Amino acid sequence: MDTAEFFGQLVQQLLLSAPLFLLIALGYSLGRFAGWPESVNEGLNRFCFNVAIPCMLFKVMSKFYESPAVDVRLLIAYFGTCFVIYVIGRILAKGVFRLDSVSASVFGLAGIFSNNVMLGIPVAVILLGPASLASVALVLVFNSLILWTLVTVSVEWAQNGSFSLRGIGKTLLSVLRNPIIIGIFTGFAWSFLLHRPVPAFLDSPISMVAQVAAPLTLITLGMSLSRYQIRKGLRESGAICLLKLILMPGLIWAIAYLLHLPRQESQVVVLLGSMAVGINVYLMAQKFQVLQGATATSMLLSTLFSTITTPLFMILMAHFYPNWP
């Protein structure tokens, strides 16, 4: 692949991604310049997370019986990488930035927790097609459970010198109450138990709501980002962006290749790993009153930089391994 072809492919990928980030920019403008109140953003967020996205994922998973089995190596590549990056993040946080143990836990989480719901789902649909959503849903099922458990154990250990089963139980219960997880599980239950399409009188309204999920979620994400400003913690946020946007997807790609994970599943996990830092990281920083400036800044910067890095990873995967198994 020569230089002209490479840049041609990059431009093509950027053009495919452009509508997504224009919707984010629209939401950002509504929140920052048009004076839309925060209550509107909160209401739209609640609708997206509690209704629109669960409907979309229910629809995808209700047809899971028509799809080939998802390879468990997908989970090994993604979450194995998460564990490695989390350890590297904690080492950087304590050794380079001299952060305390709780701050180091949040720093490590920022390096692995992707914005896979508000950003990953629509980007996967545009760049990889609707067929990728089954693999995306599988990652989402385990994402909150594994990563929140990891950081909960880490923080509890830092605060108390130990961790409790009660804390892990609360984390598990919180995950199971998540509307997105409920949408995935109920759709899978329909597929597993009935092996038939959803009746038209149910499928039609679910489909109509599901169609607005991706664009509305991106607009809402932009409105959410407009509430944060680049103020402080630039060194820490820069390191977080390098971990999140470069090292994490690169390591996922390497592990997927070593495991001989099929091309489509490999592209899904690399794409999800390359997404911007999730807003939940900032919520965790608020909860423990640490790194709030750095996590807010890393969300803004990683969302901006991922407009380049994510398409770049997709191009590299397509061209350097054209005969991927």
Side-chain angles (χ1 to χ4, degrees):
M1 178 177 59
D2 58 29
T3 303
E5 183 183 358
F6 175 81
F7 281 104
Q9 289 292 324
L10 179 59
V11 170
Q12 183 179 2
Q13 291 284 326
L14 291 175
L15 289 175
L16 283 174
S17 305
L20 306 177
F21 294 100
L22 286 175
L23 289 175
I24 295 174
L26 171 62
Y28 187 91
S29 299
L30 292 174
R32 179 57 63 88
F33 307 116
W36 283 36
E38 188 175 326
S39 59
V40 174
N41 182 213
E42 291 175 353
L44 290 175
N45 258 318
R46 183 174 297 181
F47 176 78
C48 288
F49 277 95
N50 293 346
V51 181
I53 294 173
C55 281
M56 180 174 66
L57 293 174
F58 171 84
K59 184 172 176 61
V60 170
M61 297 308 293
S62 69
K63 298 179 179 180
F64 196 72
Y65 66 93
E66 299 175 352
S67 306
V70 179
D71 201 318
V72 71
R73 290 173 293 179
L74 177 152
L75 298 178
I76 296 173
Y78 189 87
F79 292 108
T81 296
C82 285
F83 180 77
V84 173
I85 299 297
Y86 184 74
V87 172
I88 293 173
R90 283 184 58 87
I91 293 172
L92 280 176
K94 296 181 76 69
V96 176
F97 299 109
R98 306 299 179 187
L99 300 178
D100 60 76
S101 295
V102 175
S103 299
S105 297
V106 174
F107 183 96
L109 180 68
I112 62 175
F113 205 104
S114 297
N115 197 346
N116 282 337
V117 174
M118 301 187 78
L119 195 55
I121 291 173
V123 172
V125 171
I126 292 296
L127 296 186
L128 302 179
S132 67
L133 284 178
S135 297
V136 172
L138 186 67
V139 171
L140 290 179
V141 167
F142 291 95
N143 192 63
S144 294
L145 176 60
I146 292 176
L147 299 189
W148 279 124
T149 300
L150 175 64
V151 77
T152 298
V153 169
S154 183
V155 169
E156 282 201 20
W157 188 277
Q159 291 180 328
N160 307 314
S162 62
F163 65 91
S164 65
L165 292 178
R166 181 181 179 183
I168 302 303
K170 287 175 65 177
T171 300
L172 176 60
L173 185 61
S174 175
V175 169
L176 293 177
R177 288 176 174 173
N178 187 314
I180 292 170
I181 302 302
I182 292 172
I184 293 172
F185 279 175
T186 53
F188 179 77
W190 181 284
S191 173
F192 181 75
L193 296 175
L194 299 179
H195 286 271
R196 64 181 63 180
V198 177
F201 76 93
L202 287 177
D203 185 62
S204 182
I206 290 172
S207 297
M208 286 189 285
V209 174
Q211 286 173 358
V212 306
L216 188 58
T217 297
L218 291 169
I219 293 172
T220 305
L221 171 60
M223 294 178 70
S224 298
L225 290 173
S226 71
R227 296 163 50 193
Y228 308 111
Q229 296 181 4
I230 300 176
R231 291 178 176 172
K232 57 183 180 179
L234 284 174
R235 289 178 65 242
E236 292 87 346
S237 62
I240 288 171
C241 288
L242 286 174
L243 287 174
K244 185 70 204 61
L245 301 181
I246 305 299
L247 189 58
M248 183 171 175
L251 185 55
I252 292 174
W253 182 3
I255 294 176
Y257 184 74
L258 291 174
L259 293 174
H260 301 288
L261 186 67
R263 177 173 176 171
Q264 179 175 326
E265 285 85 350
S266 297
Q267 289 178 312
V268 168
V269 288
V270 171
L271 182 143
L272 294 179
S274 73
M275 289 294 100
V277 176
I279 291 177
N280 283 346
V281 177
Y282 180 72
L283 299 179
M284 177 67 78
Q286 282 187 314
K287 178 179 179 180
F288 295 109
Q289 297 295 302
V290 296
L291 288 183
Q292 295 179 64
T295 52
T297 299
S298 67
M299 281 193 310
L300 287 169
L301 293 179
S302 62
T303 302
L304 177 63
F305 294 150
S306 67
T307 63
I308 300 294
T309 56
T310 295
L312 186 59
F313 269 107
M314 294 299 99
I315 292 172
L316 291 174
M317 292 187 75
H319 285 277
F320 278 85
Y321 294 94
N323 299 316
W324 197 295

